[in-house]
Amino acid sequence: MAELPPVDQVSFQDIAHLSYLKVVSLVPDILPKHGPLMIWANNLFNTPSFHLLIEVVLAVLVLRLLFAPKYNPAKQRERLTKKEEEELLAEWVPEPLTPKVVAGNDGDGTVPVVEGVVGTHVTVAGKDYVNLASLNFLSLSGNGDLNKSAVKCIQKYGVGACGPRGFYGTIDVHVQLEERLAEFLRTEEAIIYSYGFSTIASAIPAYSKRADVLFVDEGISFATQRGVVASRSVVRRFKHNDMDDLERLLLEQQMQDTRDPSKAAVSRRFIVVEGLYANHGDICPLKQLVALKWKYKVRLIVEESMSFGVLGKTGRGVTEHCGVATKDVDIIAASMSNALGSIGGFCAGSTFVMDHQRLSGQGYCFSASLPPMLAAAAVTALDLIDRSPKLVASVQQNGALFHGALAAALAGCTTFRLEGDAKSPLLHVKLARSTDSLDEDRALLGRVEQAARADGVMLCRARYIHDEELYGAQPSIRLAVGADHSAAELKSAAATIGKACKAVKA
């Protein structure tokens, strides 16, 4: 018989093994020595001790979870007396539905009510003002030819279509306008929407879905932002009009796609920009954008509400202005409420791309179609632009003249600065340096607006929903020049604005 090891050298494993042998010797002969029970007992006594300990702890936890008393909030919560409930109700103050209105701030109720046609001049409360607030770039609002077309259309079709385009809301004048827009922009097809805002807000999510990637200029306007949010895509923003920053993001995405080709094969990439930025008044570098589009194999969406009818020799927008073929842009979207003097919006591009929106564009599918009279007015406006090239030339000349006059009037002003392209009829006056208080910034701009109005010039502070803006638009006074403004009016208005800005100190 082998000698037993010293007591101080006996391990737990040895004791367990000896116990196992003792148990086996006591098992009656009727119990099979190699049956399932014996196999299990053998495995149990040969299992490492730490493994057994873990299994015991897990078993205890499972039993505790199974048999622990259920949590009942009603039993745990102390019931209040009637008096305590009444005291709490008396102390409760509901939150306001809207934020507190600050005098001179946005939404303070001092909205000017125009009496009559909105043209280069407007009448408010019986007083005449030079109008630099309306986006009536080609001065077609109230145009006699447009009025005649609208009246004639009302006599034939009535006022509204009372149905979406897919449900007996399509009238022949809608089809005529779409054909005319496609012809004007030299694209295969165009599709019209009832509202300018919903056009780009519907077009982006019609194509870009979850897991797709949007490369977005941080200077885009609110309508474009809503389309970006509605798409639920991955958003990668680049600095405003900074093509180096955009290429950096595109290169990073390309490297990421290389690492995960299976995901890259089923997701799409889009660049989203504006032709003429509503929040800045400057023009996108479209040639560089198109070059990056082809280099990195992405799609390009251009929102042209401010550039359509304004830029380019014949008013065909930023593509004509930059010498880029419209076929190089996948989607062109724009509002018809600015240059065309009507209402609604449109998208233009290839037939394959446009037809997809007729089933996927929410603003197209679920809104009553554009009133026929407004479609007829838009067709007439396009005809006028083609017949009268001086309309586009006039607004471009006036924009350059006003930019130069206002820049000179603001020379030496340390509180405000001018922002916008010299060729743009849309400009912004912004604070040279923020006060770090949004209310104070807007109040300073409001004082300029009121001073200019007192001298007969109607201005408009740009309104932003700051709590919902994706990229924090800076407060400003937005200035819009029309084709029918005279040179004398624009020079005088520039001098008035410059005087008002210099009189206001931060």
Side-chain angles (χ1 to χ4, degrees), residues 200-202 204-206 208-210 214 223-233 235 362 470:
I200 188 65
S202 297
I204 293 175
S208 186
K209 307 296 183 181
R210 192 188 298 273
L214 294 174
T224 312
Q225 292 177 30
R226 290 301 91 190
V228 169
V229 172
S231 72
R232 299 180 296 174
S233 303
V235 179
Q362 293 188 4
L470 294 181

Side-chain angles (χ1 to χ4, degrees), residues 53-90:
L53 180 62
I54 293 173
E55 288 188 347
V56 169
V57 171
L58 290 176
V60 171
L61 289 175
V62 170
L63 291 172
R64 177 176 174 78
L65 289 173
L66 289 174
F67 297 103
K70 299 294 187 289
Y71 173 70
N72 189 341
K75 292 182 179 180
Q76 301 293 331
R77 186 171 58 243
E78 295 183 5
R79 294 189 63 83
L80 299 176
T81 64
K82 189 69 175 178
K83 182 181 179 180
E84 289 173 332
E85 290 179 355
E86 291 176 353
E87 289 176 351
L88 287 174
L89 289 172

